[in-house]
């Protein structure tokens, strides 16, 4: 039944009689899969390069000092306390050998009976190395903290300089991409300008701060309804955000952004919210992957393999309803994880497996601190303050479940709701931090 | 009256008719000085390399994941909201020219009428470069975060290795220094071992974790009463902390610590709590400084100068009662800051100045989560749970005042008191963080 190396313990994972499921990636999909899997019938080994997972929908809050980083991360070990036959190893997986049925890590290769790839996505700079170097993406906790540090470093520099051009450059924030990331970032920046920063920087003219969204299509939130798209535009404009449509940024050197049509905008901060790509682990056949996503069937199995699955943002499941694949949102990841776990449990029990069907609960995006747009799964749309309340409730629900800590509700709510208190304009000592690189070397087995 | 450059604005600081007080350092002393100074009579310019200040007494909590970093920092600009004629510039001061009465920064030189040096202390490795490289000090927020990251990286590595020697090394924590820092760190580590880590690391034998304090004198807490010193020893021993007295660590290569007498202890973590030294700004006469501290008189004025003062840990004020200078504790810094501000206000009003007299309110140190030792100013001593309650009350009081946020009380208390919830075993992505160095260059004036 198993190809596990019975005579050695690799990575300190015990050898048992149970079939082993290896999961790569402890995000929404991976964690929900693990929670649902019956570990009296399977052993699970989870690999992740971090020992925590991140509540990605709220990264923009950390980036604008609306929440603190610890509010939106949860330790993986804590989330899975008490799960039997579950082993976490903080390692990245470098490769897969589907013939030998092993995964390769810095600590050695581990055999699997079933493999679940749930690695998520990373920022896609479309091959533009200059933009990759100078812009600020927003996919990881590190991204969010670096962006926040840069934001407040820019303001501190502003206080030191009387050169008008330099001051305007430091006060100009260009957000590339009009999807939820761009809309939420721009709204949060506008809130900072309109309500918070003047008190902290009395020597500077904060009203000169420009926030600009540059979007390649002709509208915001292209994945949302027309009504939501239009509401978002109106709301952002009323908050003083400038919108540029049908434009592409081609160059950015850290100082001036240049568009395809030659237009230039001097800006000290360019936030890249314009593209993501799946994180593919080397080793499977080329045919299994298209545009950096694994092609999966209705059982979330990767075509060409009997025992390798993909979940969440890194999986592409195309259907009539979703011809481009399912959206890369948390709900899809969660539902995929749960369905696959139920199916793999069924395999062990001799039960029947079910095809994955996405129950679309809708989409939401906030715009500033008290507005949002919401499309419901049934086609209805609403916006404004009621939509924002709904957004808060939904995110609190998931954040609490995510962090498994009821008390967090109190402190998170407190942080989020109280304007001046929540906005903590603290810059971590990035300038002086000397990080000691501590690579995980091959341990002795 | 003033040597300010009236024809230029340096560092964007406005030129006014008011005499200018330059303060170097926004810690306890600097901030309390500024809060108390009458800025209808003086302009204040504060320089600090960070735009936040750190509640240093609780660094050990961050280092052991008992609190999160944001809980113990406060933005300087927020703490001084609304203070008239107050200007903050996030810059380090490289030097002082007492003849020209200017301070030098990366942004240019600024003139002063009065100069207050409140730079505090940094870790003292006594010239041992090897120990400086491999050990973990605990003086700054960065120190605390690096130590915490290392602690949890060690535990994650532990999970990957079955080599018994390596496992023991990873589980051995040597704390050098038996003062408050060492005692509090060791107590917190013991709490982690005894109450928290087993659940998170079920594949490892956490009971093998060793926590050792190595102290050069023959007792702990040498600045405390005999009773407190003895109580601390008993309490730590009962928690399973090993104590080594009259010993000095001479070598540490990151793997094995070697003492003066030749004894060796393999340990992956050496915490250096054994010495601090004042942060001296170059420029004053050699005679003004002894053992990295500025010599000040009863008015906190540096000998040899009319208008340069020093406060807090970097100042040495020797009296009959304090022949080695006053202790480097927060209370001394706060009281010095307030007294000097009152005196400088008096100068402007033609009032009388007063000599600094330290009102010793006592000393406290926690030992684990529900014990402490406390010496009161009047010579009394108490310990155990009542002392711990007192410690909590005192620190909450100062922390709230420090952060100026009542709501923090709730979240901080919640974090601190709830055992399993408070201990957040999250490791920040230090391994992967690629920090972009953003030096503050000379701005155009």
């Amino acid at each position: 039944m198993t190809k596990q190396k019975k005579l050695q313990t690799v990575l300190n994972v015990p050898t048992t009689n149970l079939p082993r499921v290896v999961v790569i990636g402890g995000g929404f999909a991976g964690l929900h899969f693990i929670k649902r899997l019956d570990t009296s019938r399977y052993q699970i080994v989870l690999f992740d390069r971090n020992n925590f997972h991140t509540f990605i929908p709220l990264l923009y809050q950390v980036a604008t000092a609306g929440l603190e980083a610890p509010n939106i991360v949860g330790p993986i070990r804590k989330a899975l306390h008490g799960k039997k036959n579950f082993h976490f190893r903080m390692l990245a997986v470098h490769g897969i050998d589907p013939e030998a049925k092993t995964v390769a890590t810095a600590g050695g290769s581990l055999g699997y009976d079933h493999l679940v790839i749930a690695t998520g996505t990373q920022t896609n700079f479309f091959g533009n190395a200059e933009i990759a170097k100078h812009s600020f993406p927003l996919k990881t906790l590190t991204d969010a903290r670096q962006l926040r540090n840069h934001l407040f470093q820019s303001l501190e520099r502003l206080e030191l300089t009387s050169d008008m051009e330099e001051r305007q450059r430091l006060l100009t924030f260009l957000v590339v991409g009009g999807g939820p990331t761009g809309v939420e970032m721009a709204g949060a920046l506008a809130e900072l300008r309109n309500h918070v920063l003047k008190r902290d920087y009395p020597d500077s003219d904060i009203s000169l701060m420009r926030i600009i969204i540059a979007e390649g299509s002709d509208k915001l939130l292209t994945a949302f309804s027309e009504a939501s798209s239009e509401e978002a535009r109106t709301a952002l404009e009323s908050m003083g955000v400038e919108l540029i449509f049908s434009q592409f940024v081609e160059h950015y050197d850290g100082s001036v952004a240049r568009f395809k049509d030659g237009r230039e905008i001097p800006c000290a901060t360019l936030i890249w919210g314009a593209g993501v790509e799946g994180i593919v682990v080397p080793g499977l056949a080329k045919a299994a992957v298209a545009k950096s996503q694994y092609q999966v069937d209705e059982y979330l199995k990767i075509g060409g393999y009997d025992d390798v699955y993909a979940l969440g943002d890194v999986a592409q499941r195309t259907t009539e309803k979703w011809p481009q694949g399912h959206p890369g949102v948390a709900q899809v990841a969660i539902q995929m994880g749960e369905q696959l776990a139920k199916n793999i449990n069924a395999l062990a029990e001799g039960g029947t497996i079910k095809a994955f069907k996405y129950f679309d609960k809708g989409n939401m995006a906030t715009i500033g601190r008290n507005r949002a747009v919401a499309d419901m799964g049934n086609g209805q749309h609403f916006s404004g303050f009621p939509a924002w309340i709904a957004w808060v409730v939904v995110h609190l629900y998931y954040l609490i479940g995510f962090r498994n800590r009821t008390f967090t509700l109190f402190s998170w709510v407190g942080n989020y709701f109280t304007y001046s208190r929540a906005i903590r304009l603290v810059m971590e000592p990035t300038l002086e931090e000397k990080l000691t690189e501590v690579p995980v070397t091959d341990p002795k087995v």
Side-chain angles (χ1 to χ4, degrees), chain A:
Chain A
M1 167 188 286
T2 167
K3 286 193 172 63
Q4 294 182 31
K5 296 176 189 172
K6 289 195 198 292
L7 298 175
Q8 287 188 47
T9 305
V10 180
L11 294 171
N12 231 15
V13 174
T15 305
T16 68
N17 288 332
L18 301 176
R20 179 185 292 147
V21 180
V22 169
V23 181
I24 311 176
F28 283 116
L31 281 195
H32 281 264
F33 170 81
I34 293 171
K35 285 189 188 222
R36 187 61 72 113
L37 197 72
D38 181 354
T39 51
S40 64
R41 298 185 176 278
Y42 293 97
Q43 180 195 60
I44 303 180
V45 179
L46 169 65
F47 291 101
D48 195 302
R49 66 187 72 209
N50 295 315
N51 70 348
F52 60 89
H53 57 177
T54 309
F55 194 76
I56 290 175
L58 289 177
L59 278 180
Y60 81 98
Q61 285 280 338
V62 172
T64 50
L67 282 177
E68 285 137 29
N71 290 137
I72 69 163
V73 296
I76 286 171
R77 291 179 179 279
K78 189 182 282 291
L80 294 159
H81 263 171
K83 184 91 184 174
K84 279 191 334 181
N85 294 319
F86 165 71
H87 307 278
F88 172 70
R89 297 294 177 263
M90 193 179 93
L91 288 169
V93 173
H94 303 319
I96 303 165
D97 184 342
E99 304 291 313
K101 293 180 67 162
T102 59
V103 293
T105 72
S109 291
L110 188 72
Y112 65 80
D113 292 290
H114 300 279
L115 177 63
V116 178
I117 306 173
T119 45
T121 49
Q122 60 197 0
T123 304
N124 185 356
F125 293 101
F126 303 107
N128 191 321
E130 192 200 31
I131 288 183
K133 182 175 177 197
H134 294 287
S135 72
F136 289 87
L138 200 56
K139 273 295 298 182
T140 69
L141 192 66
T142 300
D143 290 342
R145 286 166 64 214
Q146 288 188 322
L147 175 50
R148 183 191 61 200
N149 288 357
H150 176 77
L151 194 161
F152 294 111
Q153 283 178 31
S154 300
L155 294 172
E156 289 296 339
R157 268 198 235 186
L158 177 71
E159 290 265 294
L160 300 172
T161 179
S162 40
D163 177 291
M164 292 313 296
E165 266 190 46
E166 178 66 5
R167 290 173 71 84
Q168 187 57 65
R169 198 185 70 81
L170 289 166
L171 279 170
T172 301
F173 297 81
L174 176 59
V175 179
V176 179
T181 300
V183 163
E184 292 181 326
M185 265 306 298
L189 286 169
E191 295 279 349
L192 278 179
R193 177 191 59 196
N194 300 343
H195 298 285
V196 178
L197 295 176
K198 287 192 181 69
R199 283 188 78 194
D200 275 15
Y201 299 93
D203 293 340
S204 300
D205 191 359
I206 292 296
S207 57
L208 292 178
M209 182 168 160
R210 290 180 71 192
I211 300 144
I212 308 159
I213 296 180
E215 159 63 22
S217 77
D218 61 355
K219 57 178 187 169
L220 301 172
L221 301 178
T222 48
F224 284 58
S225 65
E226 281 292 332
S228 285
S229 175
E230 194 49 36
E231 291 271 357
R233 190 181 66 76
T234 317
L236 285 172
E237 281 176 342
S238 76
M239 293 168 76
V241 173
E242 301 168 47
L243 305 174
I244 301 174
F245 293 105
S246 308
Q247 278 292 342
F248 300 91
V249 174
E250 290 200 327
H251 297 279
Y252 180 60
D253 59 0
S255 193
V256 179
R258 196 161 81 241
F259 289 77
K260 195 168 181 176
D261 69 355
R263 174 182 355 191
E264 292 191 344
I265 297 180
C267 52
T269 307
L270 190 152
I271 297 161
W272 186 258
V276 295
E277 60 185 8
I279 299 172
V280 172
V281 184
L284 300 187
K286 271 192 165 30
V289 177
K291 286 198 205 160
S292 296
Q293 285 183 304
Y294 293 102
Q295 307 295 297
V296 299
D297 65 17
E298 66 267 42
Y299 302 106
L300 305 171
K301 193 142 60 75
I302 297 178
Y305 300 94
D306 283 335
D307 43 28
V308 186
Y309 305 83
L311 302 174
D313 291 2
V314 78
Q316 193 190 51
R317 166 78 193 126
T318 56
T319 59
E320 253 188 61
K321 188 172 181 204
W322 303 101
Q324 309 289 335
H326 285 69
V329 295
Q331 263 305 309
V332 168
I334 291 167
Q335 292 179 25
M336 281 185 170
E338 292 185 347
Q339 186 59 64
L340 181 62
K342 289 181 198 168
N343 285 353
I344 293 187
N345 288 342
L347 284 178
E349 295 154 14
T352 49
I353 60 175
K354 267 184 67 178
F356 170 70
K357 185 163 163 28
Y358 174 47
F359 173 36
D360 186 355
K361 299 183 185 175
N363 263 327
M364 287 188 199
T366 57
I367 303 162
R369 240 156 215 270
N370 49 24
R371 274 181 286 197
V373 291
D375 293 338
M376 293 173 62
N378 59 9
Q380 285 182 2
H381 150 85
F382 62 112
S383 63
F385 188 65
W388 184 77
I389 292 291
W391 177 91
V392 168
V393 167
V394 165
H395 283 76
L396 277 181
Y397 172 77
Y398 281 111
L399 191 66
I400 292 166
F402 172 94
R403 282 161 62 87
N404 209 26
R405 285 165 58 162
T406 324
F407 192 82
T408 303
L409 167 59
F410 220 141
S411 71
W412 188 83
V413 167
N415 279 343
Y416 188 76
F417 278 100
T418 52
Y419 240 132
S420 59
R421 290 165 181 167
I423 306 291
R424 305 198 59 254
L425 303 172
V426 166
M427 188 189 80
E428 290 168 33
T430 309
L431 292 177
E432 310 208 21
E433 255 180 328
K434 297 177 186 23
L435 295 186
T436 46
E437 281 282 332
V438 189
V440 178
T441 53
D442 287 339
K444 301 174 202 157
V445 176

